Amino acid sequence: MPNIEKWLHLCRKARGLQLGEEAVRGAMIGQKAQLVLVAQDAGDSTHRWIRNWSGKYNVPVYMANLTKAELGGVFGRDALAVLAVTHRELGKAITRELQS
């Protein structure tokens, strides 16, 4: 998996992220989520609801090559299990890189 941290920093500057489960759900419901990124050590319940909601709202989900602590550290948090990219163009660019 490519180094996603540089993309996350760009999304953050562009205000194109939703961090945490509730924010990600809201982005999916509002049809703003371009993709969802899940920490590699996220819990089973997180994986279950992500699968259900991503299928319902047709949002691609990718596993990050980062732990919850590492993903949270990108944003100055102790831990972060899931985030949604909401910036349309950056979401497309990240998806292309993740699929290559």
Side-chain angles (χ1 to χ4, degrees):
M1 175 180 232
N3 181 351
I4 200 70
E5 290 181 51
K6 68 177 182 173
W7 290 107
L8 296 178
H9 287 293
L10 287 172
C11 288
R12 183 178 186 188
K13 285 184 179 185
R15 298 177 191 235
L17 290 173
Q18 293 295 317
L19 307 177
E21 292 184 14
E22 291 301 317
V24 170
R25 280 189 189 107
M28 285 191 206
I29 291 168
Q31 299 180 339
K32 294 180 180 177
Q34 303 299 307
L35 65 98
V36 171
L37 195 62
V38 182
Q40 65 187 16
D41 60 344
D44 290 338
S45 64
T46 299
H47 284 283
R48 274 194 304 275
W49 79 257
I50 285 292
R51 271 195 310 273
N52 291 337
W53 284 68
S54 66
K56 182 177 180 178
Y57 292 101
N58 198 29
V59 177
V61 176
Y62 297 95
M63 185 68 61
N65 194 19
L66 301 167
T67 65
K68 292 186 295 187
E70 292 167 335
L71 190 57
V74 172
F75 303 103
R77 294 179 169 205
D78 290 335
L80 179 64
V82 62
L83 64 82
V85 174
T86 57
H87 190 282
R88 185 175 304 253
E89 295 305 316
L90 288 172
K92 289 178 185 176
I94 293 168
T95 298
R96 280 192 301 271
E97 186 161 326
L98 290 171
Q99 292 177 343
S100 64

